[in-house]
Amino acid sequence: MTRVRQINTMCLFMVAYLLSYIDRQILALLIGPIQSDLLLSDTQFACLNGLAFSLLYAILGFPLASMSDRYPRPPIIVGGVILWSLATMACGLCNSFWSLFLCRVLVGLGEAALAPAVYSYIADTVPRERLAGTLAFFFLGSFLGSGCAFLFGGWLLAFVQQHHFMILHAWQICFMVVGLPGIFLGIIIALTVHEPSCRTVPARPATTSVAISFFRNHRTFFSLHMLGYTLLAVTLFSLFSWMPAQMMRIHHMSHTELGLTLGIIVIVAGCGGAFTSGWLIDILTKRGLWYAPQLVASSAAFAASIPLVISVTTMNTHLAIISFSVAFFFASFPMPPSATVLQIAVPAPMRARFSAAMLFCNAIGGLSGGSLLIGALNDHVFHSAASIGTSIALVAGTASILGGVLLLLCIPSYRTLCNGLGRMERISDMPALQEVV
């Protein structure tokens, strides 16, 4: 694959990730009108924003990842992009909690196909010394997409409300508009992206039992790694999901003001954090610091906790915005190292499935569990919409500190695993690999 084609492919993947986050995050901005029109509680909204999306996203990520380990990955990516885009547009036709729940489930199913296939594709085409930086570029799509969802979603909602579309609610039209570009992107990827010629699929692919055996032999590392990054996902997704509600309820921002403020913060601080994280890991790795991913991620987790708590507990709007920007910058650091480590530490025939396992933990624990816990605390413990900041601080702040501690604890087992991987990389046939793992 030529350098130019590689860059074009990475840009298309990043745009796909961008659109996926627009389609999943637009719901958080539309919390007010959706709750008003469908009469939803905070817990029900958390189910739509977290559980519904993560249900099939987490479960079907494994068979889709297994397909990515064995079959050409571009068709899998294209199918996922088109499915989640159609499902997002279908959200605009919903008029009840359960119909919207079902469409959000289908959005999650489509997006489950993207990340494991792209991780595996990148690992096959990018040298290890540039892996973290390349993955960081891919992850920029998540923050650009979320930022665009806030930035243009607020403007779009205001525009639709002003023009009084009588057939559908304004939030329904927003879903239909943001889902449409993914259809065209899927067609472009189908026509331009092809499986790399350098990829070698083993005659006997790694079976699920082999992958499970590999996990068990290194269970200390994988348990600490996945649990640690799941807790950090709780922090990041809590800010994604509930900060719009915090800003509207406590600081009385309009949808337009909120979209502009959060959109700029997510794009600038999120992209800056992901890029800085990948850059630091690549630099430190080249200098011989083998545990650079854990060091960078854990340091950022500790750094995010204090400004996070300040941002959701202060009544000063300016202080809330500034501290949220700092917290979000550091909260975005863990995304590149979480994927980078798995691409390094897992043999190629099993990478996509281990990536799916990581995404499963992030979806169930980080997106669904964290969001549901915040909604439940607000509904059943504090019994007040105005207490949303306290709920966020308790859940996201605690998760950030605990996640950082676990990543530091997994450093010794990471070294043991990497030493073993150095031996495994010299083994070319799967029977030998099965004996080693």
Side-chain angles (χ1 to χ4, degrees), residues 185-252:
L185 179 65
I187 295 172
I188 293 172
I189 294 175
L191 294 174
T192 59
V193 177
H194 308 286
E195 192 69 12
S197 57
C198 61
R199 186 190 190 190
T200 56
V201 178
R204 295 177 57 190
T207 63
T208 301
S209 61
V210 173
I212 293 174
S213 177
F214 184 72
F215 180 93
R216 287 177 175 172
N217 288 344
H218 304 283
R219 56 184 174 274
T220 299
F221 165 73
F222 286 117
S223 298
L224 291 173
H225 176 88
M226 292 185 178
L227 181 56
Y229 279 110
T230 297
L231 288 169
L232 299 190
V234 168
T235 301
L236 183 61
F237 288 129
S238 295
L239 296 178
F240 268 137
S241 300
W242 287 106
M243 203 62 187
Q246 165 74 5
M247 289 296 188
M248 285 188 287
R249 295 176 186 179
I250 305 302
H251 303 284
H252 308 292

Side-chain angles (χ1 to χ4, degrees), residues 134-153:
T134 304
L135 285 169
F137 176 76
F138 173 67
F139 285 127
L140 292 183
S142 64
F143 301 107
L144 289 172
S146 299
C148 288
F150 293 135
L151 196 60
F152 299 110

Side-chain angles (χ1 to χ4, degrees), residues 29 150-160 255-256 259:
L29 182 69
F150 293 135
L151 196 60
F152 299 110
W155 172 85
L156 178 62
L157 182 63
F159 175 83
V160 175
H255 283 93
T256 304

Side-chain angles (χ1 to χ4, degrees), residues 77-125:
I77 294 170
V78 169
V81 172
I82 293 178
L83 175 59
W84 90 58
S85 300
L86 290 173
T88 299
M89 296 179 70
C91 289
L93 301 176
C94 297
N95 56 10
S96 69
F97 169 79
W98 287 110
S99 60
L100 190 54
F101 187 95
L102 176 60
C103 288
R104 289 288 291 177
V105 167
L106 293 177
V107 172
L109 172 58
E111 294 193 19
L114 180 65
V118 170
Y119 293 168
S120 176
Y121 191 101
I122 291 175
D124 280 345
T125 57

